[in-house]
Coordinates of all heavy atoms in Angstrom, one line a residue:
K1 N 82.9 87.9 123.1 CA 83.4 86.7 122.5 C 84.7 86.3 123.1 O 85.3 87.0 123.9 CB 83.6 86.9 121.0 CG 82.3 87.2 120.2 CD 82.6 87.4 118.7 CE 81.3 87.8 117.9 NZ 81.6 88.0 116.5
S2 N 85.2 85.1 122.7 CA 86.4 84.6 123.2 C 87.6 84.9 122.2 O 87.4 85.0 121.0 CB 86.4 83.0 123.4 OG 86.1 82.4 122.2
L3 N 88.8 85.2 122.8 CA 89.9 85.6 122.0 C 91.1 84.8 122.3 O 91.4 84.5 123.5 CB 90.2 87.1 122.3 CG 91.6 87.6 121.7 CD1 91.5 87.7 120.2 CD2 91.9 89.0 122.3
L4 N 91.8 84.4 121.3 CA 93.2 83.8 121.4 C 94.2 84.7 120.8 O 94.1 85.1 119.6 CB 93.2 82.4 120.7 CG 94.6 81.8 120.6 CD1 95.2 81.5 121.9 CD2 94.5 80.5 119.7
N5 N 95.2 85.1 121.6 CA 96.2 86.0 121.1 C 97.5 85.3 121.1 O 98.1 85.0 122.2 CB 96.3 87.3 122.1 CG 97.3 88.3 121.6 OD1 97.9 88.2 120.5 ND2 97.5 89.3 122.5
L6 N 98.0 85.0 119.9 CA 99.3 84.3 119.8 C 100.5 85.2 119.4 O 100.3 86.2 118.7 CB 99.1 83.2 118.7 CG 98.1 82.1 119.0 CD1 97.8 81.3 117.7 CD2 98.7 81.1 120.0
F7 N 101.7 84.8 119.9 CA 102.8 85.7 119.8 C 102.5 87.1 120.4 O 102.6 88.1 119.8 CB 103.3 85.9 118.3 CG 103.5 84.6 117.6 CD1 102.5 84.0 116.8 CD2 104.8 83.9 117.7 CE1 102.8 82.8 116.1 CE2 105.0 82.7 117.0 CZ 104.0 82.2 116.2
A8 N 102.0 87.0 121.6 CA 101.3 88.1 122.2 C 102.1 89.3 122.7 O 101.6 90.4 123.0 CB 100.4 87.6 123.4
Y9 N 103.5 89.1 122.8 CA 104.4 90.1 123.3 C 103.9 90.6 124.6 O 103.8 89.8 125.5 CB 104.5 91.2 122.2 CG 105.5 92.3 122.4 CD1 106.7 92.0 123.0 CD2 105.3 93.6 122.0 CE1 107.7 93.0 123.2 CE2 106.3 94.6 122.2 CZ 107.5 94.2 122.8 OH 108.4 95.2 123.0
T10 N 103.6 91.9 124.8 CA 103.3 92.3 126.2 C 101.7 92.4 126.4 O 101.3 93.0 127.3 CB 103.9 93.7 126.4 OG1 103.4 94.6 125.5 CG2 105.4 93.7 126.4
G11 N 101.0 91.7 125.5 CA 99.6 91.6 125.7 C 98.7 92.8 125.5 O 97.5 92.8 126.0
S12 N 99.1 93.8 124.7 CA 98.3 95.0 124.5 C 97.0 94.7 123.7 O 96.0 95.3 124.0 CB 99.1 96.0 123.8 OG 99.7 95.5 122.5
V13 N 97.1 93.7 122.8 CA 95.8 93.3 122.1 C 94.9 92.7 123.0 O 93.7 93.0 123.0 CB 96.2 92.4 120.9 CG1 94.9 91.8 120.3 CG2 96.9 93.1 119.8
S14 N 95.4 91.8 123.9 CA 94.5 91.1 124.9 C 93.9 92.1 125.8 O 92.7 92.0 126.2 CB 95.3 90.1 125.7 OG 95.9 89.1 124.9
L15 N 94.7 93.1 126.2 CA 94.2 94.1 127.2 C 93.1 94.9 126.6 O 92.0 95.1 127.2 CB 95.4 95.1 127.6 CG 95.0 96.2 128.5 CD1 94.5 95.7 129.8 CD2 96.2 97.2 128.7
Q16 N 93.2 95.4 125.3 CA 92.1 96.2 124.7 C 90.9 95.3 124.6 O 89.8 95.8 124.8 CB 92.6 96.7 123.3 CG 93.6 97.8 123.4 CD 93.0 99.1 123.9 OE1 91.8 99.2 124.2 NE2 93.9 100.2 123.9
A17 N 91.0 94.0 124.2 CA 89.9 93.1 124.1 C 89.2 93.0 125.5 O 87.9 93.0 125.5 CB 90.3 91.8 123.6
A18 N 90.0 92.9 126.5 CA 89.4 92.7 127.9 C 88.6 94.0 128.2 O 87.5 93.9 128.8 CB 90.5 92.5 128.9
L19 N 89.1 95.1 127.9 CA 88.4 96.4 128.2 C 87.2 96.6 127.4 O 86.2 97.3 127.8 CB 89.4 97.6 128.0 CG 90.5 97.7 129.0 CD1 91.5 98.8 128.6 CD2 90.0 97.9 130.4
H20 N 87.1 95.9 126.2 CA 85.9 96.0 125.3 C 84.9 94.9 125.7 O 83.9 94.8 125.0 CB 86.4 95.8 123.9 CG 86.8 97.2 123.3 ND1 88.0 97.7 123.6 CD2 86.2 98.0 122.4 CE1 88.1 98.9 122.9 NE2 87.1 99.1 122.2
G21 N 85.2 94.1 126.7 CA 84.2 93.1 127.1 C 84.3 91.7 126.5 O 83.3 91.0 126.4
A22 N 85.5 91.2 126.2 CA 85.7 89.9 125.7 C 85.3 88.9 126.8 O 85.7 89.2 128.0 CB 87.1 89.6 125.2
T23 N 84.7 87.8 126.5 CA 84.2 86.9 127.6 C 85.4 86.1 128.1 O 85.4 85.7 129.3 CB 83.2 85.9 127.0 OG1 83.7 85.3 125.9 CG2 81.9 86.7 126.6
S24 N 86.4 85.7 127.3 CA 87.5 85.0 127.8 C 88.7 85.3 126.8 O 88.5 85.6 125.6 CB 87.3 83.5 127.8 OG 87.1 83.0 126.5
I25 N 89.9 85.3 127.4 CA 91.1 85.7 126.6 C 92.2 84.7 127.0 O 92.6 84.6 128.2 CB 91.5 87.1 126.9 CG1 90.4 88.1 126.5 CG2 92.8 87.5 126.0 CD1 90.7 89.5 126.9
T26 N 92.8 84.1 126.0 CA 94.0 83.3 126.2 C 95.2 84.0 125.5 O 95.2 84.2 124.3 CB 93.9 81.9 125.7 OG1 92.7 81.3 126.3 CG2 95.1 81.0 125.9
T27 N 96.2 84.3 126.3 CA 97.4 85.1 125.8 C 98.6 84.1 125.8 O 99.0 83.6 126.9 CB 97.6 86.3 126.7 OG1 96.5 87.1 126.7 CG2 98.8 87.1 126.2
V28 N 99.2 83.9 124.6 CA 100.3 82.9 124.5 C 101.6 83.6 124.0 O 101.5 84.3 123.0 CB 99.9 81.8 123.6 CG1 101.0 80.7 123.7 CG2 98.6 81.2 124.0
D29 N 102.7 83.4 124.7 CA 104.0 83.9 124.2 C 105.1 83.0 124.8 O 104.9 82.4 125.8 CB 104.2 85.4 124.6 CG 105.3 86.0 123.8 OD1 106.5 85.9 124.2 OD2 105.0 86.6 122.7
M30 N 106.2 83.0 124.1 CA 107.3 82.1 124.5 C 108.1 82.8 125.6 O 108.8 82.1 126.4 CB 108.2 81.9 123.3 CG 109.2 80.8 123.5 SD 109.9 80.2 121.9 CE 110.4 81.8 121.2

């Protein structure tokens, strides 16, 4: 599935999702 990670800090949530096979990931942080 697709994932949006907001206030992502260093992207650890995005990384785990990528390793679990997410189809697309958008990582947003200031």
Side-chain angles (χ1 to χ4, degrees):
K1 295 180 181 178
S2 57
L3 170 69
L4 170 62
N5 182 9
L6 293 164
F7 304 97
Y9 189 35
T10 59
S12 55
V13 168
S14 298
L15 177 62
Q16 288 289 1
L19 292 173
H20 277 73
T23 57
S24 68
I25 301 172
T26 300
T27 303
V28 186
D29 197 273
M30 191 161 53

